[in-house]
Amino acid sequence: MREVNFIWAEDLDGWIGKDNQLPWHVSADLKHFRKLTANHPVIMGRKTYNSIGQPLPHRQNIVLTHQSIANDQITVVHDVETLDQLIDVLPDNQVYVIGGARIFSLMMPLVNKLERTIINGHYNGDVKMPPINYDQWHLLKHDEVNEDDQTSCWFETWELNK
């Protein structure tokens, strides 16, 4: 069975971005992201791709956009239906949707696992994660990360109820 994962970080107020960037720098979150997504396809929108500035190494980079992108290191897909078909034929049945908010909204009907990082702080942002009805999900794992004698973030893994 294929596994379509959302992976994102949000602050205590639900912000996920500001000016097409993360509003924080938490090394534990970046390491967690790298560990989970390494060697798996990642799906993102054009703005997220542009904010990263280059394809993520050791991953198949798939960009969902109506625009063309001239980079042979990425796969460009122009609609969710085509993306859904592509996911079915990928050699790896585990993919990660990494943003942004519009891509999360478009992919909501396909997701079956959530990898959420909550950053312990309040940051001003301009983009929030689209609403998720957590009544349809169950929490599999919750791990706190402590740095300098305080919790810097925590990781949650959620699975769709069957």
Side-chain angles (χ1 to χ4, degrees):
M1 182 180 123
R2 73 183 192 175
E3 189 175 293
V4 179
N5 300 275
F6 280 5
I7 185 167
W8 79 98
E10 64 182 60
D11 76 351
L12 296 173
D13 301 313
W15 295 112
I16 65 171
K18 181 177 174 88
D19 300 325
N20 291 319
Q21 300 292 321
L22 294 175
W24 51 78
H25 180 82
V26 177
S27 62
D29 174 49
L30 298 174
K31 289 176 188 171
H32 181 71
F33 175 87
R34 219 176 1 255
K35 178 183 167 193
L36 290 180
T37 63
N39 302 311
H40 297 290
V42 291
I43 299 167
M44 67 194 95
R46 180 191 49 79
K47 288 181 183 177
T48 298
Y49 172 71
N50 287 344
S51 73
I52 296 169
Q54 64 187 8
L56 292 170
H58 310 295
R59 301 160 189 93
Q60 179 180 358
N61 288 251
I62 303 167
V63 179
L64 178 60
T65 180
H66 292 292
Q67 299 179 8
S68 62
I69 300 174
N71 186 329
D72 60 359
Q73 294 180 315
I74 64 168
T75 303
V76 176
V77 180
H78 297 292
D79 59 70
V80 175
E81 182 179 303
T82 304
L83 180 57
D84 190 24
Q85 294 168 357
L86 174 63
I87 292 169
D88 280 339
V89 299
L90 288 172
D92 188 343
N93 67 351
Q94 187 174 359
V95 300
Y96 286 87
V97 179
I98 66 171
R102 183 170 180 272
I103 303 305
F104 286 128
S105 291
L106 290 170
M107 298 290 295
M108 197 72 70
L110 305 178
V111 68
N112 49 28
K113 198 166 183 187
L114 306 174
E115 296 289 349
R116 175 170 78 160
T117 299
I118 300 174
I119 305 297
N120 189 19
H122 300 275
Y123 296 83
N124 292 323
D126 54 21
V127 179
K128 285 193 174 191
M129 183 67 182
I132 294 174
N133 180 355
Y134 285 96
D135 291 341
Q136 298 174 353
W137 300 82
H138 60 276
L139 183 64
L140 292 177
K141 197 161 111 180
H142 174 95
D143 294 318
E144 290 188 8
V145 176
N146 295 301
E147 294 176 355
D148 302 324
D149 294 329
Q150 65 185 98
T151 302
S152 62
C153 64
W154 53 94
F155 307 126
E156 296 179 345
T157 301
W158 295 78
E159 188 174 68
L160 188 63
N161 295 332
K162 296 176 183 174

